[in-house]
Amino acid sequence: MSTLTSNPTASDQKKRLVSSGALQQILAFASLIILVIFFSIASKNFLQWSNIEGILLSTTVIGILALGTTFVIITGGIDLSIGTGMTLTSVMTGVFIVFLGLPVILGIIGGIVTGALIGFISGFSVSILRIPPFIATLAMMMIAEGLSLVISGASPIYFSDVGGFNNIALGSIFPGSIPNAVLIFFLMVLIGWILLSKTIIGRYTFSIGSNEEATRLSGINVKKWKMIIYTIAGCFTGVAGVIMASRLNSAQPALGMGYELEAIAAVVIGGTSLSGGKGSLIGTMIGALIMSVLTNGLRIMSIPQEWQTVVIGFVILLAVYFDMLRKKDR
Amino acid sequence: MSRKILEMQNINKSFPGVRALSNAQLDLHRGEVLALIGENGAGKSTLMKILTGIYQKDDGSIIYDGKEISPVHTKDAQEIGINIIHQELNLMPDLTVAENIFIGREPRDKLNFFLKNKALNQQADKLFQKLNINLNPRTKISELTVAKQQMVEIAKALSFNAKILIMDEPTAALTDKEINTLFDIIHWLKNEGVAIIYISHRMEELKRISDRITVMRDGEYIATLPTETTEIRQVVSLMVGREVKIEQKISDPDAFTDTVLEAHNLHNNYIKNVSFHLKKGEILGFAGLVGAGRTEVARAIFGADPFSGEIKVNGVPVTIKQPVDAVQHGIGYLSEDRKRFGLMLEMTVKENIVISSLANYSTAAFVKPTNMKTDAENYSNKLKVKTPSVNQPVKLLSGGNQQKIVIAKWLLKDSDILIFDEPTRGIDVGAKQEIYDLLEMLANEGKSIIMISSELTEVLRLSDRIMVMNEGRITGELLNRDANQEKIMELATRHN
Ligand SMILES: Nc1ncnc2c1ncn2[C@@H]1O[C@H](COP(=O)(O)OP(=O)(O)OP(=O)(O)O)[C@@H](O)[C@H]1O
Ligand SMILES: [Mg+2]
C-alpha cells in the first residue's frame, strides 16, 4: 500500500505557531509587560504594592465576566446579558440575605444559581428557539436590567447589617496578603481553564465554534451542549455578581450596564476570535489585566477619563486587527 | 444470512418546490462496492442522507440486515454500522486530526467528564497504522491540504465498525497517488466484509473499483448493472438518457493571431518565473497535478495574491493589485472552491448571477428588478440549471448546479478573458458536455479562455494549446495535435 503525506517542514511549524493563537497570546502578554514597564517609568507610584493591589482588585469583576463569556464566544456566539445579569445576581443575593434573612452562604449560592438561570434561558433561546445570540442576549440584558430595578424597588440593598459580608471580597483568608476577590478570580481562571482544556465541555465548545454543522453531523447533541455552555457562563456571571455586591457592601440595581462590553473587549484583546473556534482563558485573563493596567496607568498619569476610553478603543481595534492578520496568514 | 445487507424501496422525498426522490430504490450486497451514479441533482446525495438519518423519508422502506430501520439521527445510523463520508468536507478546522476523528467518542475518565488526550492520540495512531495512512494525530485540520483532510474524513468513517460505508465523491479533491491509496483501502475493506456505496462522476473509476453500478436519473431508479459486462458508454447514456461523445480537439495554431494577455516572469511564494501568452478566441489549458501551482497562477493574474512580474492586456502593460483591477481589464475568474469564493450560499440563484453586474441594472443606484430576473432566467436556462425558480437559495441546489451559477455570473459580466479553475469538478457527464459546448461557444464568440483542469481527457478535449506545470514552474507547452496523456503526465512530473 502506498502512503501519503510528507513530514512537516519548518514553514509548517511556523504556520502552526501563528495559527494556534499562541502568537496572539504571546503578543498580548508582551503588551502587558511593556505597559507595566512604561507606566512604572512614567510614574513611580505605579509599582507600589497598594496600586498593584488596586489594579488586581479592579480586574476581578470584569475578569470573571470575561472568563465566562469566553466560552460563549468560542462557540461563535456572544452574550450581552452578562453586565445586567451580574446586577440581577447581586440584587437576588441581597434579596436572599437581607430581605429573606437566609444565611450568607445560601445567599451566595442563590446568587450564583440566579446567574446560571439567566445563562440557561439565553442558551435555551439560542439553541432551542434558534434566536441569534446577539438578539437573544440583548433581550436578556434588558429583562435582567428591568427585573433588577423592579425587585429592588429601584434603590440599593445594603448589607451593612450582615456581619462580614464585605470581607468576602475585600478580606483575606491569609491575613495581610492579597484580597479574597483576587484569589477567587485566579481560582475561576483555574476552574475555567480546566473546563476548557481538559473536559468534554471544552472540547465541544471548540468543536461547535469551529464548525457547528459538522459537529452536529458527528452525532453530538449541539443544542444540549450550547445550553450547558451558556449556563456555565451564567455561573461565572453569578460569581461576579456576588463579588460586586460584597465589594460595594450593597447591591446597586442601576450599575452593570456596559460591563458586558468591557468584558467582551478583554476577551478579544486576549486573542479569542469573535468568529469562534479559537481562544483561551489565559488570554482572557491577560486581556482583562491589560484593560485595568491601562485604565489605572492613564489615571495615575492624570489623563482624563474621556481619553482613557478613547485609548482603550484603539487597543481593541489593534487586537482585532491582529486577529484578522492571523486569519489571512492561512 | 442473506446476501443482501441493505434494501431501500420506493423511497420518496420532496423539498419545498423540488421532488428530490420518487420511488428511488437500491440494494446492496455484503462486501461489494456499488457505484451509485447519476447527473447533478439526480438525488444521489439525498438518498444517502436518508439512509444515514440526516433527512427523513416521506415514505418507503429501508431494510437493513433483515430488519426495517428508520434512522432519525446520524448517531442512529452510526450505531448500527452505517457511515458516510459527505460530499462536502465536514471537519472542525480548529480541532486536531485525532479530536476530529473521535469527536463524541473521545476517551474519558470514569466520571465521563475529563478527557484523556494521550489515549486519544494513541488510538488515532493505531487507526492510521491499520489503514496505512501517514497522518499526525496532533496536527490541526486547518493546516492540512484538502486531500489530507479528505483522508481524515475517511479514517473517521472507518474508525466506526462500519458494515456499510458510503463515499460521496471522495476523489474530487485527491491526487492520483492519493486515489490509489484510497482504492487500496477500499479493497482492504471489501475483504473485511464491508459493503461500500461509491458515488462519483469519474467514469474511469467505476471500472476500476466497483462490482455493480446503480444508475439514477431525476430522482428515480433507472437500472443496476454488473460492472464487468457493462460498457461505460452504456452507463452514461442511461444516466443522461442520450449518447455522449468525448474526443480530442485538433485546431489550427495559425487561426489565432491577436495576443490578448501576456504574462512575464510572474513570481511569488507559490509560482516561479511563470511566462505565457493567450490569444484571442483561444482555449489555453493548464495541466498538472493537484498542487502544481496552476490555481496560484490564476490567482496572481486575477490580483488575488501579490506577485512580481509583468502582465499585458492587449499589448498594454497593466497594474493588477486586486481583483477589481482585473475585472476592469475584462478578466473573470471562476474559483475552484466555489463554496468559499464563488457563491453567496444564502442568496438566491438570481442574486448570485447578477451580483457582479449590478451596475448594469441600476440607474442612480436604484436597481431595476425586471431585467435582472429575465437575464438571470436566460442564463439559468442556457446552462440548464436545475432549480424550481431563480428565487431558490443557492445552498439548496446540488453541487453541480451551483457551479453553473458561478459560470452564469461571469458570462453575464461580459468578461473577455475568462479563467476557469476546475470548471467541471463535481459535475456529471451530461452537464460536463454542456459546459464544454459552452466554453467552445464562448471561444468562437471571441472570448479568450484559460482553463485549469486536473482531468486529462478534459484538457485534451478542449484546449487549443496546453501549458503543463509542476512545482510552481511551467515545465512544457504543447499544441493540441502534439499532445497526449503520456506526454502531459511526463511533463507534469518533471523536475527542472
Ligand atoms: N435541503 C434541500 N432543500 C431543497 N432542495 C434540496 C435540498 N437538498 C437537495 N435538494 C434538491 O434535491 C435534488 C437532488 O439533490 P442531490 O444533492 O441529492 O443531487 P446529487 O445527485 O447528489 O447531485 P450532485 O452530483 O450534483 O451532487 C436537487 O434538485 C436539489 O436541488
Ligand atoms: Mg451529491
Side-chain angles (χ1 to χ4, degrees), chain B residues 337-382:
Chain B
D337 191 344
R338 55 181 174 259
K339 281 268 161 82
R340 261 171 67 204
F341 304 117
L343 287 171
M344 273 66 69
L345 289 176
E346 301 290 333
M347 291 168 78
T348 65
V349 169
K350 181 180 76 188
E351 287 162 336
N352 270 284
I353 293 180
V354 302
I355 187 84
S356 307
S357 320
L358 273 183
N360 301 350
Y361 297 96
S362 32
T363 31
F366 290 102
V367 178
K368 288 180 289 185
T370 38
N371 303 354
M372 223 158 88
K373 179 143 190 266
T374 33
D375 280 359
E377 272 165 358
N378 281 345
Y379 278 97
S380 144
N381 290 339
K382 191 168 170 182

Side-chain angles (χ1 to χ4, degrees), chain A residues 5 16 198 204 210 218, chain B residues 94 106 115 117 134 143 156:
Chain A
T5 77
R16 181 162 319 153
K198 302 280 172 206
Y204 296 156
S210 191
S218 304
Chain B
D94 303 301
E106 40 284 280
L115 297 164
N117 277 326
N134 185 3
E143 287 153 25
K156 178 177 174 183

Side-chain angles (χ1 to χ4, degrees), chain B residues 15-16 18-21 38-47 49 55 87-88 168-169 199 201 216 386-388 392 395-401 426-428:
Chain B
F15 295 109
V18 195
R19 181 105 197 243
L21 296 174
E39 292 189 277
N40 296 129
K44 308 176 296 287
S45 299
T46 306
L47 189 64
K49 284 180 180 168
Y55 294 157
Q87 192 168 1
E88 280 78 34
D168 198 346
E169 296 193 38
I199 301 178
H201 290 299
M216 290 182 71
K386 205 177 162 215
T387 173
Q392 185 86 341
K395 69 170 177 198
L396 299 183
L397 300 189
S398 76
N401 282 305
I427 290 194
D428 66 66

Side-chain angles (χ1 to χ4, degrees), chain B residues 70-269:
Chain B
S70 36
V72 292
H73 276 297
T74 349
K75 236 185 168 151
D76 302 342
Q78 280 171 353
E79 270 160 13
I80 53 175
I82 305 177
N83 271 281
I84 182 164
I85 300 166
H86 288 282
Q87 192 168 1
E88 280 78 34
L89 286 172
N90 269 299
L91 295 169
M92 284 68 78
D94 303 301
L95 267 50
T96 69
V97 169
E99 287 167 359
N100 263 279
I101 291 177
F102 294 104
I103 184 87
R105 302 172 289 151
E106 40 284 280
R108 305 162 190 185
D109 71 337
K110 285 192 215 71
L111 295 171
N112 205 8
F113 186 62
F114 289 99
L115 297 164
K116 290 185 170 168
N117 277 326
K118 214 166 144 198
L120 174 78
N121 289 324
Q122 280 168 354
Q123 221 169 316
D125 268 329
K126 232 198 255 157
L127 177 70
F128 297 153
Q129 253 164 34
K130 195 169 93 181
L131 302 174
N132 199 12
I133 300 175
N134 185 3
L135 277 171
N136 182 350
R138 291 173 189 79
T139 315
K140 271 199 185 171
I141 296 295
S142 57
E143 287 153 25
L144 298 176
T145 60
V146 175
K148 284 183 199 164
Q149 294 181 6
Q150 182 74 294
M151 297 311 290
V152 176
E153 285 267 28
I154 292 165
K156 178 177 174 183
L158 296 181
S159 69
F160 292 89
N161 273 326
K163 288 195 195 145
I164 296 180
L165 182 62
I166 302 154
M167 301 190 183
D168 198 346
E169 296 193 38
T171 55
L174 298 192
T175 65
D176 286 345
K177 197 171 148 212
E178 289 159 340
I179 291 175
N180 285 335
T181 309
L182 175 68
F183 285 0
D184 285 342
I185 292 175
I186 292 178
H187 280 302
W188 175 79
L189 284 169
K190 259 178 75 164
N191 288 336
E192 301 274 302
V194 179
I196 293 163
I197 301 175
Y198 187 90
I199 301 178
S200 175
H201 290 299
R202 297 192 175 172
M203 291 300 142
E204 68 279 5
E205 287 177 357
L206 305 186
K207 273 279 180 199
R208 273 179 70 189
I209 198 75
S210 72
D211 300 304
R212 295 189 306 148
I213 302 173
T214 292
V215 184
M216 290 182 71
R217 188 166 72 221
D218 294 332
E220 288 176 46
Y221 170 86
I222 300 296
T224 298
L225 311 159
T227 309
E228 224 173 329
T229 57
T230 307
E231 295 258 357
I232 289 300
R233 224 165 7 95
Q234 236 175 308
V235 181
V236 171
S237 54
L238 279 176
M239 243 174 89
V240 296
R242 63 190 141 79
E243 289 280 332
V244 178
K245 57 185 190 307
I246 290 195
E247 74 237 359
Q248 177 167 355
K249 183 173 175 184
I250 303 288
S251 54
D252 173 13
D254 298 329
F256 309 105
T257 48
D258 308 342
T259 303
V260 291
L261 179 78
E262 281 166 84
H264 290 292
N265 290 322
L266 303 188
H267 199 97
N268 63 21
N269 279 345

